[in-house]
Short mmCIF file of all heavy atoms in Angstrom, two decimals:
data_model
loop_
_atom_site.label_atom_id
_atom_site.label_comp_id
_atom_site.label_asym_id
_atom_site.label_seq_id
_atom_site.Cartn_x
_atom_site.Cartn_y
_atom_site.Cartn_z
N PHE B 271 -40.88 -13.31 7.41
CA PHE B 271 -39.82 -12.38 7.06
C PHE B 271 -38.54 -13.21 7.02
O PHE B 271 -38.09 -13.70 8.05
CB PHE B 271 -39.74 -11.29 8.13
CG PHE B 271 -38.80 -10.15 7.82
CD1 PHE B 271 -39.23 -8.83 7.97
CD2 PHE B 271 -37.50 -10.37 7.40
CE1 PHE B 271 -38.38 -7.77 7.71
CE2 PHE B 271 -36.65 -9.31 7.12
CZ PHE B 271 -37.09 -8.01 7.29
N ALA B 272 -37.97 -13.38 5.86
CA ALA B 272 -36.73 -14.17 5.74
C ALA B 272 -35.53 -13.24 5.76
O ALA B 272 -35.59 -12.13 5.23
CB ALA B 272 -36.75 -14.99 4.46
N ILE B 273 -34.47 -13.72 6.36
CA ILE B 273 -33.29 -12.87 6.55
C ILE B 273 -32.65 -12.45 5.24
O ILE B 273 -32.05 -11.38 5.13
CB ILE B 273 -32.24 -13.58 7.45
CG1 ILE B 273 -31.12 -12.64 7.87
CG2 ILE B 273 -31.66 -14.80 6.76
CD1 ILE B 273 -31.52 -11.60 8.87
N ASN B 274 -32.80 -13.27 4.22
CA ASN B 274 -32.35 -12.86 2.88
C ASN B 274 -33.05 -13.70 1.81
O ASN B 274 -33.78 -14.65 2.12
CB ASN B 274 -30.82 -12.92 2.75
CG ASN B 274 -30.28 -14.33 2.83
OD1 ASN B 274 -30.90 -15.29 2.40
ND2 ASN B 274 -29.08 -14.45 3.40
N ASP B 275 -32.80 -13.36 0.58
CA ASP B 275 -33.52 -14.01 -0.52
C ASP B 275 -33.25 -15.50 -0.62
O ASP B 275 -34.16 -16.28 -0.92
CB ASP B 275 -33.15 -13.35 -1.85
CG ASP B 275 -33.83 -12.01 -2.02
OD1 ASP B 275 -34.65 -11.65 -1.16
OD2 ASP B 275 -33.54 -11.32 -3.02
N ILE B 276 -32.02 -15.89 -0.39
CA ILE B 276 -31.72 -17.31 -0.56
C ILE B 276 -32.43 -18.13 0.50
O ILE B 276 -33.00 -19.18 0.21
CB ILE B 276 -30.19 -17.55 -0.55
CG1 ILE B 276 -29.56 -16.73 -1.68
CG2 ILE B 276 -29.88 -19.03 -0.73
CD1 ILE B 276 -28.15 -17.09 -2.01
N VAL B 277 -32.43 -17.62 1.72
CA VAL B 277 -33.21 -18.29 2.76
C VAL B 277 -34.69 -18.30 2.36
O VAL B 277 -35.37 -19.32 2.51
CB VAL B 277 -33.01 -17.60 4.12
CG1 VAL B 277 -34.02 -18.09 5.14
CG2 VAL B 277 -31.58 -17.83 4.64
N ALA B 278 -35.15 -17.20 1.83
CA ALA B 278 -36.55 -17.13 1.40
C ALA B 278 -36.86 -18.20 0.36
O ALA B 278 -37.91 -18.85 0.42
CB ALA B 278 -36.86 -15.74 0.84
N LEU B 279 -35.94 -18.42 -0.56
CA LEU B 279 -36.15 -19.45 -1.57
C LEU B 279 -36.22 -20.83 -0.92
O LEU B 279 -37.02 -21.67 -1.32
CB LEU B 279 -35.03 -19.41 -2.60
CG LEU B 279 -35.00 -18.16 -3.48
CD1 LEU B 279 -33.78 -18.18 -4.39
CD2 LEU B 279 -36.27 -18.06 -4.31
N GLY B 280 -35.37 -21.03 0.06
CA GLY B 280 -35.40 -22.30 0.79
C GLY B 280 -36.73 -22.48 1.50
O GLY B 280 -37.32 -23.56 1.50
N VAL B 281 -37.19 -21.41 2.09
CA VAL B 281 -38.46 -21.46 2.80
C VAL B 281 -39.59 -21.81 1.83
O VAL B 281 -40.41 -22.69 2.09
CB VAL B 281 -38.74 -20.11 3.50
CG1 VAL B 281 -40.16 -20.06 4.03
CG2 VAL B 281 -37.74 -19.88 4.63
N ILE B 282 -39.60 -21.14 0.70
CA ILE B 282 -40.64 -21.40 -0.30
C ILE B 282 -40.57 -22.85 -0.76
O ILE B 282 -41.59 -23.54 -0.89
CB ILE B 282 -40.51 -20.44 -1.49
CG1 ILE B 282 -40.85 -19.02 -1.05
CG2 ILE B 282 -41.41 -20.88 -2.65
CD1 ILE B 282 -40.70 -17.98 -2.12
N SER B 283 -39.35 -23.32 -0.99
CA SER B 283 -39.17 -24.70 -1.40
C SER B 283 -39.74 -25.66 -0.36
O SER B 283 -40.46 -26.61 -0.70
CB SER B 283 -37.68 -24.96 -1.64
OG SER B 283 -37.42 -26.34 -1.69
N GLY B 284 -39.43 -25.39 0.90
CA GLY B 284 -39.94 -26.23 1.98
C GLY B 284 -41.46 -26.20 2.05
O GLY B 284 -42.11 -27.25 2.19
N PHE B 285 -42.00 -25.04 1.94
CA PHE B 285 -43.46 -24.91 1.98
C PHE B 285 -44.10 -25.65 0.82
O PHE B 285 -45.05 -26.41 0.99
CB PHE B 285 -43.86 -23.42 1.92
CG PHE B 285 -43.69 -22.70 3.22
CD1 PHE B 285 -43.62 -21.30 3.25
CD2 PHE B 285 -43.60 -23.37 4.44
CE1 PHE B 285 -43.47 -20.61 4.45
CE2 PHE B 285 -43.45 -22.70 5.65
CZ PHE B 285 -43.38 -21.31 5.64
N THR B 286 -43.59 -25.40 -0.37
CA THR B 286 -44.17 -25.99 -1.57
C THR B 286 -44.17 -27.51 -1.47
O THR B 286 -45.16 -28.17 -1.79
CB THR B 286 -43.39 -25.55 -2.81
OG1 THR B 286 -43.33 -24.13 -2.83
CG2 THR B 286 -44.06 -26.06 -4.08
N GLU B 287 -43.03 -28.03 -1.00
CA GLU B 287 -42.91 -29.47 -0.90
C GLU B 287 -43.95 -30.05 0.06
O GLU B 287 -44.43 -31.17 -0.13
CB GLU B 287 -41.51 -29.82 -0.42
CG GLU B 287 -41.11 -31.23 -0.76
CD GLU B 287 -39.63 -31.41 -0.56
OE1 GLU B 287 -38.87 -30.83 -1.37
OE2 GLU B 287 -39.24 -32.08 0.41
N ALA B 288 -44.31 -29.27 1.07
CA ALA B 288 -45.28 -29.74 2.04
C ALA B 288 -46.71 -29.43 1.60
O ALA B 288 -47.66 -29.62 2.37
CB ALA B 288 -44.99 -29.11 3.40
N GLY B 289 -46.85 -28.94 0.39
CA GLY B 289 -48.19 -28.65 -0.12
C GLY B 289 -48.74 -27.31 0.34
O GLY B 289 -49.91 -27.00 0.13
N PHE B 290 -47.89 -26.53 0.92
CA PHE B 290 -48.27 -25.18 1.36
C PHE B 290 -48.01 -24.21 0.22
O PHE B 290 -46.91 -24.21 -0.33
CB PHE B 290 -47.38 -24.81 2.55
CG PHE B 290 -48.15 -24.55 3.80
CD1 PHE B 290 -48.95 -25.53 4.35
CD2 PHE B 290 -48.05 -23.31 4.44
CE1 PHE B 290 -49.65 -25.28 5.51
CE2 PHE B 290 -48.76 -23.07 5.59
CZ PHE B 290 -49.55 -24.05 6.13
N ARG B 291 -48.97 -23.39 -0.10
CA ARG B 291 -48.77 -22.50 -1.23
C ARG B 291 -48.33 -21.10 -0.80
O ARG B 291 -48.81 -20.58 0.21
CB ARG B 291 -50.05 -22.40 -2.06
CG ARG B 291 -50.44 -23.69 -2.77
CD ARG B 291 -51.89 -23.64 -3.18
NE ARG B 291 -52.74 -23.28 -2.03
CZ ARG B 291 -53.95 -22.75 -2.13
NH1 ARG B 291 -54.48 -22.55 -3.32
NH2 ARG B 291 -54.66 -22.46 -1.04
N VAL B 292 -47.42 -20.53 -1.58
CA VAL B 292 -46.97 -19.16 -1.37
C VAL B 292 -47.45 -18.35 -2.56
O VAL B 292 -47.20 -18.74 -3.71
CB VAL B 292 -45.44 -19.08 -1.28
CG1 VAL B 292 -44.97 -17.63 -1.17
CG2 VAL B 292 -44.92 -19.91 -0.11
N PRO B 293 -48.20 -17.26 -2.39
CA PRO B 293 -48.51 -16.62 -1.12
C PRO B 293 -49.89 -16.98 -0.54
O PRO B 293 -50.25 -16.44 0.49
CB PRO B 293 -48.50 -15.15 -1.53
CG PRO B 293 -49.08 -15.15 -2.90
CD PRO B 293 -48.61 -16.43 -3.53
N GLN B 294 -50.62 -17.89 -1.20
CA GLN B 294 -52.00 -18.13 -0.76
C GLN B 294 -52.09 -18.56 0.70
O GLN B 294 -52.95 -18.09 1.44
CB GLN B 294 -52.68 -19.17 -1.65
CG GLN B 294 -52.90 -18.74 -3.10
CD GLN B 294 -51.68 -18.96 -3.98
OE1 GLN B 294 -50.59 -19.18 -3.47
NE2 GLN B 294 -51.88 -18.91 -5.29
#
Side-chain angles (χ1 to χ4, degrees):
Chain B
F271 187 132
I273 190 72
N274 66 33
D275 284 355
I276 302 194
V277 168
L279 293 175
V281 170
I282 292 178
S283 164
F285 283 161
T286 306
E287 201 166 290
F290 241 59
R291 293 162 308 158
V292 176
Q294 294 85 344

